[in-house]
Amino acid sequence: NNSDLDKIQQLINKDNELIELRESIKKASLAQLENGVITTNDYLREVNELDRAKNQKIIHEIQYLLTQYNLKAQLNQ
C-alpha cells in the first residue's frame, strides 16, 4: 500500500542525508591523509562506508520500485 511506499521513501531520504554526510567525511579524510594525520587504511575505510551508504540507497530504490510494481499488479487483478 501507499504507506509502504512512504516508508521506503523516508528511508531513501535518510540514505541521501547519510551519503551527503559520508561524502563530507571522505573529503575531510582525504585532506587528513594528504597531511599525514591518518593512514591510507583509515581513508579507505571512509571510502568503503560511502560506498556502503550508496549501495543501501540502491537497495531501497529497488524495494520502492518492486513495491510500486506489486501495487499495480494487485490493482489490475
Side-chain angles (χ1 to χ4, degrees), residues 1-15 60 63-65 67-68 71:
N1 61 31
N2 283 338
S3 69
D4 291 336
L5 287 175
D6 291 342
K7 287 177 189 174
I8 298 169
Q9 185 59 55
Q10 288 174 3
L11 290 173
I12 292 170
N13 293 342
K14 290 191 182 298
D15 290 334
H60 289 142
Q63 288 174 334
Y64 187 89
L65 293 172
T67 302
Q68 274 186 324
L71 285 173

Side-chain angles (χ1 to χ4, degrees), residues 13-61:
N13 293 342
K14 290 191 182 298
D15 290 334
N16 287 330
E17 292 173 14
L18 182 58
I19 289 169
E20 191 175 317
L21 177 62
R22 288 281 174 203
E23 288 278 4
S24 297
I25 292 170
K26 184 185 124 187
K27 186 176 179 180
S29 295
L30 180 57
Q32 291 176 333
L33 176 64
E34 290 170 346
N35 290 309
V37 177
I38 64 171
T39 66
T40 303
N41 285 340
D42 294 331
Y43 175 70
L44 289 176
R45 189 176 310 115
E46 297 306 335
V47 171
N48 288 336
E49 288 298 322
L50 173 59
D51 286 345
R52 192 173 327 206
K54 288 179 178 179
N55 288 337
Q56 191 64 41
K57 179 184 175 187
I58 291 168
I59 290 169
H60 289 142
E61 288 172 336

